[in-house]
């Protein structure tokens, strides 16, 4: 086994970390109840933004995770958190009703940790309404010829005729919408997309493409390309983690056995390309000794994916991935987590949103900072280690 001697996080440490995270979320409510956290911190601190970016659901998700934690401990704090979550749900309903920045595929990232979570935890009718409307919005991006959901841009342009690996996390919203409404159209589209995505974004060596293009006329697979990775042929660290969690969710919803085997291989590639402390550099091309920024969010996402997958594995396999996840979270806890509110108003340092390289097409921002999904998935991983968690996805 890789990383044999790395310690796993203990139950006491999970409790200590969750207590700090919940406290940090509560401290942030003053500034971020009617506003949202920006996607990334600047010098360790998030600025407030309106609900108009693809990442705002993660902050609301942190509020719900803190609510779940405090509900077992402090009724007064839980009440404050629930009220804040409800205010944010109103904002998400407004956003989808007025179609504010929703012309892209990230409806799951936006509406699962915010509105589906609020509905599952409190029965919020507005949360349910908003999330179903978001699912309706998401399926407008489905291409029946290529059998996938287009990520970004106008739907009629060949240069936009592509999917991206991240989208696997947007699909649980569609499964949830079919369950809620009894209408299978959402699930049918999700299954088509999963199949197309997994068949194309995973390379022969089980590294992954960030994005994959198709021929607009025939729907045939065309070519892979990176956007946020270092170069086309490398494995963007967060993309590989989206693949790990995406395969676990693909199995959860489709029950196709082959997705367990693919999960294992994609995870193995990830583990074999980690540095000694199990928290990747921003692209798996880089390792110990390289002067490159980390992406701590990737480790949290991968840990959540493993903790989801083990629910459907035999005991021996489950023990292996439970250990890896516990080791990764321990490394985040020891080396990357925020422990002092004066240092940062986030939860996890050393994450990378978008690092420009000579070979990629992305802008440069949120490098070696906290980012909103890094914070959310760290808290999700801790919650999964703390109890039998009903997922928001
Ligand atoms: N889904 C976009 C990202 O991971 O940066």
């Amino acid at each position: 086994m890789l990383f044999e001697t790395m310690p796993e996080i203990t139950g006491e440490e999970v409790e200590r970390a969750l207590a700090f995270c919940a406290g940090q979320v509560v401290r942030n409510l003053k500034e971020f109840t009617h506003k949202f956290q920006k996607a990334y911190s600047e010098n360790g601190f998030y600025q407030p933004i309106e609900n108009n970016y693809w990442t705002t659901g993660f902050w609301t998700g942190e509020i719900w995770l803190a609510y779940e934690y405090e509900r077992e401990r402090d009724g007064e704090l839980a009440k404050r958190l629930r009220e804040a979550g409800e205010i944010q749900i109103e904002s998400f309903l407004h956003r989808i009703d007025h179609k504010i920045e929703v012309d892209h595929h990230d409806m799951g990232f936006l509406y699962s940790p915010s509105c589906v979570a609020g509905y599952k935890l409190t029965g919020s009718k507005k949360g349910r309404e908003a999330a179903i409307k978001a699912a309706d919005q998401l399926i407008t991006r489905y291409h029946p010829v290529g059998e996938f959901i287009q990520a970004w841009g106008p739907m009629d342009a060949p240069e936009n005729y592509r999917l991206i690996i991240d989208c696997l996390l947007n699909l649980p919203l569609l499964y949830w919408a079919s369950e809620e409404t009894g209408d299978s159209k959402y699930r049918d589209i999700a299954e088509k997309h999963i199949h197309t995505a997994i068949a194309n974004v995973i390379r022969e060596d089980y590294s992954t493409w960030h994005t994959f293009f198709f021929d607009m006329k025939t729907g045939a697979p065309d070519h892979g390309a990176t956007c946020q990775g270092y170069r086309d042929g490398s494995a963007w660290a967060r993309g590989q983690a989206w693949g790990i969690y995406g395969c676990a969710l693909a199995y959860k919803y489709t029950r196709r056995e082959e997705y367990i085997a693919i999960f294992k291989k994609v995870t193995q590639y990830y583990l074999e390309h980690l540095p000694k402390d199990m928290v990747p550099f921003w692209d798996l091309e880089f390792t110990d000794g390289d002067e490159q920024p980390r992406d701590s969010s990737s480790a949290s996402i991968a840990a959540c994916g493993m903790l989801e997958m083990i629910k459907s594995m035999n005991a021996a396999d489950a023990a292996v991935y439970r250990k890896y996840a516990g080791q990764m979270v321990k490394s985040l806890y020891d080396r990357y987590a925020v422990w002092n509110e004066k240092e940062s108003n986030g939860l996890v340092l050393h994450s990378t949103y978008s690092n420009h390289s000579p070979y990629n097409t992305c802008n440069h921002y949120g490098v070696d900072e906290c980012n909103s999904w890094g914070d959310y998935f760290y808290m999700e991983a801790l919650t999964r280690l703390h109890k039998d968690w009903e997922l928001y996805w």
Side-chain angles (χ1 to χ4, degrees), residues 161-180:
Y161 198 69
R162 66 169 156 187
L163 59 80
I164 74 171
I165 192 164
D166 325 26
C167 189
L168 292 169
L169 273 284
N170 285 318
L171 305 176
L173 178 70
L174 299 182
Y175 284 94
W176 172 85
S178 276
E179 277 281 301
E180 276 302 310

Side-chain angles (χ1 to χ4, degrees), residues 54 105-106 109 152 164 166 210 228 236 238 242 353 373:
W54 72 270
H105 71 156
D106 283 327
F109 282 131
W152 314 304
I164 74 171
D166 325 26
H210 179 194
Q228 283 159 270
W236 175 45
R238 194 158 61 257
W242 292 137
Y353 179 9
W373 57 89

Side-chain angles (χ1 to χ4, degrees), residues 226 229-232 282 286 292 355-362:
T226 201
Y230 177 65
R231 61 180 174 88
D232 279 344
W282 69 286
F286 304 114
Q292 294 284 336
N355 194 15
H356 184 64
S357 86
Y359 314 109
N360 72 20
T361 54
C362 70

Side-chain angles (χ1 to χ4, degrees), residues 369-383:
E369 287 285 347
C370 301
N371 65 43
S372 197
W373 57 89
D375 290 356
Y376 168 80
F377 284 108
Y378 176 61
M379 242 182 128
E380 181 185 308
L382 290 167
T383 306

